[in-house]
Amino acid sequence: MAYNEFLADRIRRIFREQKANVYEKKMMGGLCFMVDNKMCCGIHFSKKKEMDLLMARIGVDATEEAMKKEGCQPMDFTGRPMKGFVFITPDGFDLDKDLEYWVELCLDFNPLAKSSKKR
């Protein structure tokens, strides 16, 4: 198992409650939640940190404020942070209200997010 199934179920519940148009896509050794055909959030197991991370697409404008939250850090796979994306460690999403905060932040940004180019 490449990602935490319990965390995935918690995220699914939030999307159901929000009545979001979501589907799941396995990628990068984790699970990505797509809303309106755009990457919204996901779960990534970091081998380097040996923990599950929540990947959140929140946009550039929300990043500065988000970085003040517990467990939030820049998202970087290559050593260069991706703008508008953050990783959250388990300390930052352990409580349901904290996970809901992050997923709702992703859903708020989703209408503004650009879709990936179709191949």
Side-chain angles (χ1 to χ4, degrees), residues 21-39:
N21 179 21
V22 65
Y23 67 92
E24 299 173 17
K25 193 174 189 177
K26 291 183 180 178
M27 57 175 28
M28 300 179 274
L31 182 66
C32 187
F33 294 89
M34 308 289 287
V35 174
D36 296 326
N37 293 315
K38 297 179 260 185
M39 188 182 294

Side-chain angles (χ1 to χ4, degrees), residues 44-84:
H44 170 71
F45 182 78
S46 171
K47 291 177 186 169
K48 188 186 298 183
K49 297 179 183 183
E50 297 185 355
M51 68 174 71
D52 288 296
L53 300 173
L54 175 68
M55 182 277 296
R57 185 179 190 186
I58 59 173
V60 175
D61 293 344
T63 301
E64 184 178 339
E65 188 65 29
M67 293 299 290
K68 297 175 187 174
K69 297 272 188 187
E70 183 176 8
C72 187
Q73 51 194 234
M75 178 177 153
D76 74 33
F77 284 111
T78 63
R80 201 172 93 209
M82 291 180 64
K83 292 180 181 174

Side-chain angles (χ1 to χ4, degrees), residues 65-110:
E65 188 65 29
M67 293 299 290
K68 297 175 187 174
K69 297 272 188 187
E70 183 176 8
C72 187
Q73 51 194 234
M75 178 177 153
D76 74 33
F77 284 111
T78 63
R80 201 172 93 209
M82 291 180 64
K83 292 180 181 174
F85 290 83
V86 293
F87 275 141
I88 301 95
T89 64
D91 291 340
F93 63 78
D94 192 39
L95 299 176
D96 285 344
K97 69 178 179 75
D98 294 330
L99 182 60
E100 289 168 6
Y101 167 84
W102 290 110
V103 174
E104 288 174 14
L105 195 59
C106 293
L107 285 169
D108 289 345
F109 176 70
N110 190 262

